[in-house]
Amino acid sequence: MATQLNPYISFSGEAKQAMEFYKEVLGGDLAVNTYGNFGSEAPPGYADKIMHSQLETASGFTLMGADNPPGTEHKPGNNFAVSLSGDDSDELRGYWDKLSADGTVSVPLEKQMWGDVFGMCTDKFGITWMVNISEQG
């Protein structure tokens, strides 16, 4: 899988409705995972909230979105991140090292409950980055 760079939008509880709207506008295939899809891992009150969604369109657009995780503040206008994802661990770890240097790490780059290695940081310019390294199958 080639490494991808995509916008990632955070919502305050309406991610499902928003992503369905974007599907109506842009077309394509929408994949949705709720916190409840991970069983006992779902935080209280989050079973039906969107942990991750991804819209892939025939035009080659990829839009990702989720409801804000518990304990995080939703700030309209600042509710986006840039997502780097793929399965080239060395390439993605290199990006992570450079982006997180002189920045703030909010989620360390480590294995997550969905099986991938994931981390989130804010770079020295205030931009939020998400790095997801897929498990190779």
Side-chain angles (χ1 to χ4, degrees):
M1 165 195 325
T3 300
Q4 297 179 331
L5 183 142
N6 303 302
Y8 203 112
I9 305 171
S10 297
F11 299 92
S12 63
E14 69 280 349
K16 185 174 191 302
Q17 297 88 339
M19 294 301 288
E20 287 172 348
F21 170 73
Y22 299 137
K23 179 182 177 186
E24 289 176 23
V25 171
L26 302 170
D29 296 314
L30 178 61
V32 176
N33 289 300
T34 65
Y35 284 88
N37 291 136
F38 295 97
S40 63
E41 301 290 332
Y46 273 73
D48 294 329
K49 302 266 188 218
I50 304 305
M51 184 172 161
H52 175 73
S53 64
Q54 184 166 320
L55 177 64
E56 300 275 351
T57 74
S59 297
F61 302 149
T62 300
L63 180 63
M64 299 176 178
D67 288 312
N68 269 24
T72 61
E73 183 181 355
H74 182 260
K75 295 180 184 176
N78 292 332
N79 56 326
F80 76 95
V82 181
S83 171
L84 284 166
S85 56
D87 59 11
D88 187 327
S89 182
D90 291 340
E91 178 185 18
L92 289 161
R93 286 178 186 279
Y95 295 145
W96 171 263
D97 290 343
K98 293 173 186 173
L99 289 165
S100 62
D102 300 322
T104 304
V105 173
S106 53
V107 177
L109 187 65
E110 59 190 23
K111 189 153 184 138
Q112 301 296 324
M113 68 178 148
W114 58 90
D116 294 347
V117 172
F118 173 85
M120 188 162 55
C121 67
T122 302
D123 71 19
K124 63 184 176 182
F125 298 103
I127 303 300
T128 301
W129 292 84
M130 305 164 109
V131 174
N132 192 88
I133 304 169
S134 299
E135 284 291 296
Q136 297 187 22

